[in-house]
Amino acid sequence: MSLFALFYRQVGGLLFLDTDFALLRDPYTQLKAPPLSRASLVLMPDLRGSATPVNAGLWYAQGAGAPSSAARWVVEQVARRTEAVIRLPTPRKQLPPYDQAMLNDALASASRGVSTASYMCTHPRVAASSLCASGGGRPRPQLPWLREDGVRWLRLSVPTARNTSVEGGGGAAAQAPLGERAALAPPSLFPTGWEAQRSGALSPLRSDAPALVHLLGARRSGSSAA
């Protein structure tokens, strides 16, 4: 995650994905065309009923390498918060929260203007740490999606109310470029988990296959294997 943030600062655009993805067609034909070409971040929705609205297994950041960019702030916050969490001592057989909680916290912060750590602070070990000294234990905020051009969007800005316990520094927020937005990818691009496989997206007979599919293990004829 920290390497993602470093490369993003240098080149201003990166596609981040887990190793359990299948590439079925070129995603850039949609990412570089309207309306998604107007998004600084393109995100994949999480499974319905999940505790987090956005899945961290795949996301795309483009054209926002400036230091004042809100999208860059989100990427760097995910890296910084993830590194802070994995340094915490954790009892055996108790996994720390992973980067998905940090991504949703960073998105909630940038879309609402107030820094939050509510998703990562639901984990008991993190909740008891200094990382959750302020902002922890609060209800997880909903992301304020807007719908336009058939896509769900978030308006992004660097939060003016900061949380130095998780952000790794304070000071006044820089003015982010106007109009920065994050987009939730349509099913034709990054479909959600099992939903793509249940719809037959992996069939070689499909001419309308999505660009990337999150495998989440192989499922066939009602059975599954991780």
Side-chain angles (χ1 to χ4, degrees):
M1 195 73 252
S2 58
L3 287 176
F4 184 93
L6 175 62
F7 288 142
Y8 186 43
R9 287 197 296 271
Q10 299 298 319
V11 303
L14 280 174
L15 178 65
F16 175 89
L17 64 157
D18 285 349
T19 57
D20 56 345
F21 272 86
L23 179 64
L24 303 182
R25 61 178 177 82
D26 183 2
Y28 289 96
T29 57
Q30 282 182 266
L31 290 171
K32 294 303 183 181
L36 296 181
S37 60
R38 300 196 294 268
S40 297
L41 296 173
V42 182
L43 310 161
M44 185 176 73
D46 205 3
L47 293 167
R48 293 173 186 172
S50 173
T52 50
V54 172
N55 190 299
L58 185 155
W59 44 312
Y60 179 63
Q62 63 181 350
S68 60
S69 163
R72 174 169 164 172
W73 183 88
V74 169
V75 172
E76 293 181 343
Q77 281 302 304
V78 176
R80 183 174 290 118
R81 296 176 188 215
T82 300
E83 290 171 357
V85 165
I86 62 178
R87 285 196 295 266
L88 294 174
T90 303
R92 291 184 61 188
K93 299 183 179 180
Q94 186 183 85
L95 295 175
Y98 52 109
D99 57 348
Q100 188 155 302
M102 288 59 138
L103 172 60
N104 281 272
D105 273 331
L107 289 169
S109 301
S111 61
R112 300 170 68 90
V114 178
S115 185
T116 181
S118 298
Y119 284 95
M120 71 184 232
C121 288
T122 59
H123 188 283
R125 181 64 191 90
V126 182
S129 74
S130 60
L131 297 176
C132 299
S134 60
R138 298 177 182 173
R140 289 170 293 192
Q142 297 297 310
L143 300 183
W145 298 106
L146 303 171
R147 184 171 289 276
E148 181 184 316
D149 297 328
V151 175
R152 287 197 288 169
W153 301 87
L154 289 174
R155 293 195 179 99
L156 302 177
S157 64
V158 179
T160 54
R162 312 296 286 274
N163 183 344
T164 57
S165 62
V166 295
E167 290 183 35
Q175 181 64 45
L178 295 177
E180 271 199 281
R181 297 193 294 179
L184 204 60
S188 60
L189 183 61
F190 306 151
T192 305
W194 290 122
E195 295 177 7
Q197 297 176 57
R198 289 181 180 135
S199 67
L202 297 180
S203 170
L205 303 178
R206 289 281 295 269
S207 60
D208 59 342
L212 287 152
V213 174
H214 201 181
L215 297 177
L216 296 174
R219 173 168 289 191
R220 191 173 185 178
S221 300
S223 62
S224 65

